[in-house]
Amino acid sequence: MTQVQVLDNAVSQLQSKVAAGAVALALLPGMGTRFPLRAGYHSYVRLGTDNANEVVRFTARNGDVLACEPTARAWPAGTHVIATICSALLNDLKLDGQGDILAAANAYTDAAVADLSLDTIAADHVTYANAGHPGIANVQQALDTLLYVAPQASITNSVGTVEIGSTVAAVTLDWTVNKAVVAQSIAAPGPGAIDPALRTLALSGLRLTADTTFTLAVDDGAHAASASTQVLFRHRRRWGVSARAVPDAALIDALAGAEFAAGRAQSRSFSPSGQYVYFAWPSSFGTPTFLVNGLLNTAWVKTTVGYTNPSGYTADFDVYRSQFLQSGGQQVVVQ
């Protein structure tokens, strides 16, 4: 009969599951040295937890594998394997006549394990069951589900808004994603699927003449997200002052204020000096209401002008002129 060896602070986990009747216990890689069994000796380990366990006698170690007597039951990967002081070990010490138990324990403690402490348990080696989540088998999967961050993306383009009638030949797209993704694409007029690592893309050879949307789609392997950016084609609405009483296309171009817009609503400050106050916008913007210094004002003259903008697009523009010459500061709100 072999002699018994007492091990101190020897802790590991099963690298893979074992069936009932197993005669070998595969420990986590590199953990075999924590069970330094000498030739001709045997020892004991406890499999399981304080609440559910069995003691197994092992007789040899080959690297990270303990040769043992047949296990009484099956154990999953990740099960604790802990050197234990048990009744069988104590009985073996007495039967072998090895004298004082504590002395023997000290004598057979290998210096290689003298400074070991309890290991961090790999989360994917700890089984987990939840009836509401049958696809989760271990703590790692549970944590991944609990801490999962869904993909989010935002995207911009280098063009933004241009004058209606112009043609856009090139656009640079820039975007951000809150995490690494496994796939991404930019829908037409983009190229479709692109390298998941890209975060900028220059497109050329385009002939955009109307509002165009570029849509980015990203996928992290579990969920997808999307973001869009638009190239917009807009008229410029204009405003300003002039001493001229009859508006035409040249007067529209000469008005000092101009901005791209999709509607007429605005608020402007003027300081005319014996001049008319003017607003001009596409007829499609509709009929306005004017407030001057907070009061409703209907003293405006409307003229419709066929106007061709600098980009060559022709549309009817409604030109609104104050009915009378103005002087002094005033705030005009267009509704």
Side-chain angles (χ1 to χ4, degrees), residues 9-12 35 44-48 80-85 118:
N9 292 327
V11 178
S12 185
F35 298 80
Y44 294 86
V45 292
R46 190 191 77 174
L47 301 178
H80 278 119
V81 181
I82 304 174
T84 184
I85 303 296
L118 183 66

Side-chain angles (χ1 to χ4, degrees), residues 7-272:
L7 301 178
D8 188 26
N9 292 327
V11 178
S12 185
Q13 296 165 258
L14 289 179
Q15 181 178 1
S16 56
K17 66 181 180 180
V18 297
V23 293
L25 307 175
L27 307 178
L28 293 180
M31 296 294 183
T33 56
R34 300 189 173 193
F35 298 80
L37 191 67
R38 301 183 183 188
Y41 286 80
H42 69 271
S43 192
Y44 294 86
V45 292
R46 190 191 77 174
L47 301 178
T49 67
D50 290 340
N51 296 322
N53 58 72
E54 73 168 288
V55 173
V56 178
R57 183 176 187 265
F58 74 99
T59 56
R61 178 179 67 87
N62 182 12
D64 295 323
V65 178
L66 305 182
C68 65
E69 294 181 344
T71 59
R73 53 166 288 184
W75 294 96
T79 297
H80 278 119
V81 181
I82 304 174
T84 184
I85 303 296
C86 59
S87 60
L89 182 144
L90 298 176
N91 288 332
D92 286 350
L93 285 171
K94 292 179 179 180
L95 289 173
D96 289 344
Q98 295 186 34
D100 184 80
I101 294 173
L102 292 177
N106 290 331
Y108 296 117
T109 298
D110 195 298
V113 297
D115 193 35
L116 293 178
S117 60
L118 183 66
D119 296 292
T120 299
I121 302 172
D124 62 350
H125 283 65
V126 181
T127 57
Y128 175 85
N130 186 320
H133 300 275
I136 297 177
N138 57 59
V139 170
Q140 183 65 60
Q141 293 174 345
L143 290 173
D144 288 345
T145 299
L146 177 65
L147 302 177
Y148 173 75
V149 176
Q152 296 178 347
S154 62
I155 185 170
T156 61
N157 73 79
S158 60
V159 176
T161 302
V162 296
E163 189 170 56
I164 191 168
S166 59
T167 299
V168 174
V171 177
T172 297
L173 303 174
D174 294 283
W175 63 95
T176 59
V177 184
N178 66 329
K179 63 186 301 186
V181 295
V182 298
Q184 64 180 358
S185 63
I186 297 177
I194 54 176
D195 184 339
L198 286 179
R199 295 297 180 264
T200 187
L201 183 66
L203 302 175
S204 60
L206 305 174
R207 293 189 57 82
L208 307 182
T209 58
D211 291 356
T212 302
T213 300
F214 294 90
T215 300
L216 167 73
V218 299
D219 192 324
D220 68 355
H223 293 87
S226 64
S228 297
T229 184
Q230 288 186 300
V231 174
L232 301 175
F233 292 79
R234 294 289 183 262
H235 290 285
R236 283 188 173 91
R237 63 187 182 191
R238 296 179 179 268
W239 64 92
V241 297
S242 175
R244 291 182 52 186
V246 180
D248 56 14
L251 183 141
I252 294 174
D253 283 334
L255 294 176
E259 67 182 6
F260 293 121
R264 64 180 183 270
Q266 56 193 292
S267 178
R268 307 295 175 193
S269 297
F270 298 95
S271 298

